[in-house]
């Protein structure tokens, strides 16, 4: 077999992993974020000032936010079930040290600290969990698209052939979910007052970079004879084209139907698509082509997975728009966000029950078809990950109250409630001070140029695969390559952020 066919076989005919393992892996990124925040607060406690060195900040962010994820999806994957416990124990040790030193310096009772925390007001203009969610989806996707070509990346994490729940299957849906959370219809109230044609024209113009990237990927893959998984999207289709069509179709639907009813549109789309799959020969066509023998003759046969899965991805996008509208409701207190977390947990429970019913009565999860079970699975897990990030932020807010003046980049700004007693009032961090720290935050650096980060990761992945025989690489070499690859991507984003450069002109 040629090297191209070897690599194609290496990422084909896979069945995914268990729901439990995917759910457990979601806790790793929030725990890394919590660990980094606690380390910054501990540094402030020891030295009386925040970490100001850009070099040290980048190194800390990379080693704590990115490197553990690289290890967990490669050499540490056999003990993945223990990793959240290990990282959580480390975080508990740091918090214990912070609390003991803080308690030694002041005599504020713990009950009073909890009361002050419960009455703390948060900056309603910025929800850091949304930013962190979108950045981490990008980071995890960037890690996986290269790591999957190495033998140290477990085959059960890779994209499944037809049915199953691989980690990379979730990443595809999470990308759609993250884009919908901040789509123009969610962020801009002015969309409702714009003429429909004008609004749709603006949306069409805004997706031209994705069209350009999709065409560029298609041409480069074909010209270089780069290995590709045909049953993923088809012969000519790719994920960039999926993003384009989902975005445009969703803009059209949101111009016709009320935004706050997008969940109804999502349910109707997903259920009707699933009924069509089960009641007609559409499922057999997607899986085996029009002749039942996996023909790729003609454009529709050649790209049937990418074209027909658009219905499922569109339903997923519409459901995510509803989530975004709910999250952006003004909640400016710890109490309000605690109630929101409880509501989200109840929603997640309902979604998992629906997922169980869907898999039993309709179809198992299938990213290839983007069926009803897949949409339910993605929304449930994305909401779970978002809840983890919100809880992480609330824990950091509580810790910041223990250490006066401490700051954590990409964390909630604290605005004290007027009801907090002056005697025990905890010093709040001015909004401007948090803003000044954003220049040394890797999360904000990636967030400002997310599309460029994703593009750079794709280009670097192709370059590494062309230059290196990834399939036969040893463990130490694999880790070196993956760390260099991710550090280079992060460093480019960090430099652009430090120079205040945002490469977006559409």
């Amino acid at each position: 077999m040629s090297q191209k066919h070897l690599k194609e076989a290496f990422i084909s005919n896979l069945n995914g992993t268990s729901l439990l393992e995917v759910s457990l892996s979601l806790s790793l990124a929030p725990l890394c974020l919590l660990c980094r925040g606690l380390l910054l607060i501990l540094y402030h406690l020891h030295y009386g000032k925040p970490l100001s060195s850009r070099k040290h900040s980048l190194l800390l962010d990379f080693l704590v936010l990115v490197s553990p994820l690289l290890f967990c999806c490669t050499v540490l994957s056999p003990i993945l079930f223990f990793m959240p416990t290990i990282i959580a124990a480390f975080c508990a040790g740091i918090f214990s040290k912070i609390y003991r030193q803080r308690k030694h310096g002041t005599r504020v009772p713990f009950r009073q600290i909890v009361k002050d925390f419960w009455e703390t007001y948060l900056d309603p203009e910025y929800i850091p969990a949304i930013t962190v969610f979108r950045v981490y989806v990008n980071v995890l996707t960037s890690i996986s698209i290269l790591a999957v070509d190495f033998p140290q990346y477990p085959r059960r994490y890779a994209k499944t052939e037809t049915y199953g729940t691989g980690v990379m299957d979730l990443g595809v849906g999470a990308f759609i979910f993250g884009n919908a959370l901040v789509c123009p219809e969610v962020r801009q109230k002015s969309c409702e007052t714009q003429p429909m044609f004008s609004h749709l024209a603006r949306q069409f113009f805004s997706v031209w970079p994705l069209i350009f990237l999709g065409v560029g990927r298609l041409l480069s893959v074909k010209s270089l004879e780069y290995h590709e998984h045909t049953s993923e999207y088809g012969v000519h289709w790719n994920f960039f084209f999926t993003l384009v069509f989902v975005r445009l179709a969703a803009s059209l639907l949101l111009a016709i139907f009320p935004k706050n009813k997008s969940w109804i549109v999502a349910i109707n789309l997903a259920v009707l698509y699933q009924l069509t799959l089960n009641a007609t020969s559409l499922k057999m066509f997607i899986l085996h082509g029009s002749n039942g023998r996996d023909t790729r003759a003609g454009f529709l046969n050649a790209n049937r997975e990418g074209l027909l899965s658009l219905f499922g991805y569109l339903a997923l996008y519409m459901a995510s728009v509803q989530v975004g509208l709910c999250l952006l409701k003004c909640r400016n207190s710890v109490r309000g966000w605690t109630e929101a977390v409880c509501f989200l947990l109840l929603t997640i429970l309902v979604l998992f029950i629906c997922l169980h019913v869907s898999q039993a009565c309709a179809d198992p999860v299938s990213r290839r078809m983007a069926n009803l079970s897949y949409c339910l699975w993605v929304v449930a897990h994305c909401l779970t990950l978002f809840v983890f990030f919100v809880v992480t932020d609330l824990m950091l807010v509580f810790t910041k109250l223990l250490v006066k003046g401490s700051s954590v980049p990409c964390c909630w700004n604290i605005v004290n409630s007027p009801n907090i007693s002056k005697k025990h009032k905890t010093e709040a961090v001015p909004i401007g001070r948090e803003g000044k720290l954003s220049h040394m935050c890797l999360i904000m650096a990636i967030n400002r140029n997310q599309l460029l980060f994703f593009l750079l990761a794709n280009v670097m992945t192709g370059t590494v695969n062309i230059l290196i025989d990834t399939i036969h690489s040893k463990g130490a070499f694999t880790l070196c390559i993956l760390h260099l690859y991710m550090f280079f991507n992060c460093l480019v984003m960090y430099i652009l952020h430090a120079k205040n450069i945002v490469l977006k002109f559409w």
Side-chain angles (χ1 to χ4, degrees), residues 390-418:
V390 171
V391 172
T392 297
D393 278 331
L394 292 176
M395 293 174 71
L396 290 176
V397 167
F398 181 82
T399 312
K400 284 163 68 175
L401 289 173
L402 298 178
V403 182
K404 294 182 179 181
S406 62
S407 301
V408 179
C410 205
C411 177
W412 258 312
N413 295 331
I414 299 175
V415 182
N416 279 324
S417 167

Side-chain angles (χ1 to χ4, degrees), residues 168-188:
M168 292 185 71
D169 294 318
L170 177 61
V172 174
F175 222 98
I176 298 284
F177 185 92
N179 282 349
L181 286 183
V182 295
C183 70
E185 289 81 6
V186 171
R187 290 183 288 110
Q188 299 175 6

Side-chain angles (χ1 to χ4, degrees), residues 308-380:
L308 294 173
S309 64
L310 288 174
F311 293 103
Y313 286 123
L314 180 58
L316 175 59
Y317 190 97
M318 295 298 289
S320 306
V321 167
Q322 187 69 60
V323 173
L325 291 171
C326 293
L327 294 178
L328 291 181
K329 288 182 179 178
C330 184
R331 296 183 180 92
N332 59 353
S333 66
V334 169
R335 185 190 302 270
W337 273 104
T338 303
E339 293 171 354
V341 166
C342 293
F343 174 75
L344 288 175
L345 289 174
L346 181 61
T347 304
I348 292 166
L349 177 61
V350 172
L351 286 170
F352 273 113
I353 293 173
C354 292
L355 173 61
H356 178 74
V357 173
S358 176
Q359 292 203 103
C361 301
D363 258 340
V365 173
S366 173
R367 173 205 45 81
R368 187 174 177 182
M369 292 182 282
N371 59 4
L372 176 62
S373 296
Y374 177 76
C375 294
L376 290 169
W377 176 62
V378 169
V379 175

Side-chain angles (χ1 to χ4, degrees), residues 18 28 40 74 229 258 278-279 300 333 364 370 396 399 460:
S18 65
L28 293 172
L40 289 173
T74 51
H229 193 185
N278 287 359
L300 183 57
S333 66
L396 290 176
T399 312
M460 291 296 296

Side-chain angles (χ1 to χ4, degrees), residues 416-448:
N416 279 324
S417 167
N419 297 326
I420 297 179
S421 60
K422 293 183 178 179
K423 181 177 179 181
H424 301 298
K425 185 175 180 180
T426 311
E427 183 179 321
V429 180
I431 293 176
R433 187 171 180 180
E434 293 273 10
K436 290 178 181 177
L437 288 173
S438 65
H439 74 274
M440 54 181 212
C441 178
L442 181 59
I443 293 172
M444 295 306 297
I446 296 174
N447 182 59
R448 296 186 71 187

